[in-house]
Amino acid sequence: GENVGLHLPTLSVQEGDNSIINCAYSNSASDYFIWYKQESGKGPQFIIDIRSNMDKRQGQRVTVLLNKTVKHLSLQIAATQPGDSAVYFCAETNAGGTSYGKLTFGQGTILTVHP
Amino acid sequence: DGGITQSPKYLFRKEGQNVTLSCEQNLNHDAMYWYRQDPGQGLRLIYYSQIVNDFQKGDIAEGYSVSREKKESFPLTVTSAQKNPTAFYLCASSISTGNYEQYFGPGTRLTVT
């Protein structure tokens, strides 16, 4: 039957703190990963991506870390602002396979930033 | 402005009726995708299209149909065969299926009663 009553992981931080959002992936063949931000009632927005030949990539106020050994991805947001409050999704794909751009999305984490 | 538009933002239908959700993009992207999102869950792929006049089933295609007659347009029909159609539907596009950065539309919230 349908999965009902699922509760997303949540992270509450104070404005100005650093935030770390984690994601575990299961497909060891995945070699490309994306983080998306989704505000309430809107479509996801691309934040940052990383390929499996890297273990760290930095953007503006964001850093993605990839640990292929334990199949773990994290998104670090520096100096978190109230506008960062949203649901954050990781997505994975096997870019070298036959998935034709098919992304598999994680469940998401709710980030709430308190002023 | 380049982007993806979905209309309407909210849609209400009676059970047993088919309904078509619109998705248009002016990004000149080859690939387009439809996802379903349920409360507290991630996105699940319904259908995707790599080029015009071609599309493939995603993970949850049962009860849905699509067409891709124009590069810019990828409408999704939710048929009466879909057992639980009430959800938030998201359309996305990418330059090609080999380019994995997908751009999303604002979504359509469908409620079937």
Side-chain angles (χ1 to χ4, degrees):
Chain A
E2 289 288 322
N3 288 325
V4 295
L6 281 179
H7 297 285
L8 292 180
T10 59
L11 175 64
S12 291
V13 300
Q14 291 296 128
E15 182 177 1
D17 286 352
N18 295 334
S19 302
I20 300 176
I21 299 170
N22 296 303
C23 177
Y25 65 94
S26 56
N27 186 357
S28 56
S30 291
D31 57 7
Y32 180 75
F33 306 87
I34 303 178
W35 279 101
Y36 282 93
K37 170 187 179 183
Q38 186 178 25
E39 297 175 11
S40 181
K42 297 183 179 180
Q45 297 172 275
F46 173 91
I47 302 174
I48 192 167
D49 59 0
I50 188 167
R51 296 193 182 274
S52 58
N53 60 353
M54 304 171 71
D55 52 22
K56 180 179 180 179
R57 190 162 188 225
Q58 288 184 292
Q60 191 174 18
R61 277 201 311 120
V62 295
T63 301
V64 55
L65 299 178
L66 174 63
N67 185 330
K68 294 181 287 293
T69 302
V70 295
K71 297 201 285 285
H72 184 268
L73 195 65
S74 68
L75 177 71
Q76 300 178 1
I77 305 174
T80 316
Q81 302 165 2
D84 294 327
S85 294
V87 179
Y88 289 80
F89 292 96
C90 64
E92 60 179 295
T93 191
N94 178 4
T98 58
S99 57
Y100 297 111
K102 180 180 166 183
L103 293 173
T104 300
F105 286 80
Q107 188 181 357
T109 296
I110 300 173
L111 174 65
T112 303
V113 182
H114 301 283
Chain B
D1 275 341
I4 301 176
T5 56
Q6 291 184 245
S7 60
K9 188 166 179 63
Y10 298 96
L11 191 55
F12 299 88
R13 281 294 183 270
K14 295 287 188 188
E15 195 174 328
Q17 293 179 335
N18 291 354
V19 58
T20 297
L21 281 60
S22 165
C23 177
E24 304 279 331
Q25 55 99 357
N26 61 4
L27 299 166
N28 200 31
H29 285 174
D30 283 326
M32 296 186 75
Y33 311 81
W34 273 106
Y35 292 90
R36 171 185 171 131
Q37 186 175 32
D38 293 286
Q41 297 193 41
L43 281 66
R44 293 184 290 168
L45 182 65
I46 305 172
Y47 267 97
Y48 66 100
S49 168
Q50 298 177 66
I51 55 172
V52 175
N53 292 324
D54 179 73
F55 48 83
Q56 282 83 38
K57 292 181 180 179
D59 299 319
I60 55 164
E62 185 176 350
Y64 299 98
S65 66
V66 293
S67 62
R68 186 88 187 276
E69 297 175 3
K70 297 187 300 182
K71 187 175 186 177
E72 302 81 22
S73 179
F74 191 40
L76 173 74
T77 297
V78 184
T79 75
S80 56
Q82 168 49 234
K83 292 185 173 62
N84 293 291
T86 294
F88 190 47
Y89 290 89
L90 287 158
C91 179
S93 71
S94 62
I95 293 173
S96 69
T97 49
N99 182 304
Y100 301 96
E101 182 179 341
Q102 294 181 17
Y103 297 80
F104 284 83
T108 292
R109 188 167 299 281
L110 173 65
T111 302
V112 176
T113 56

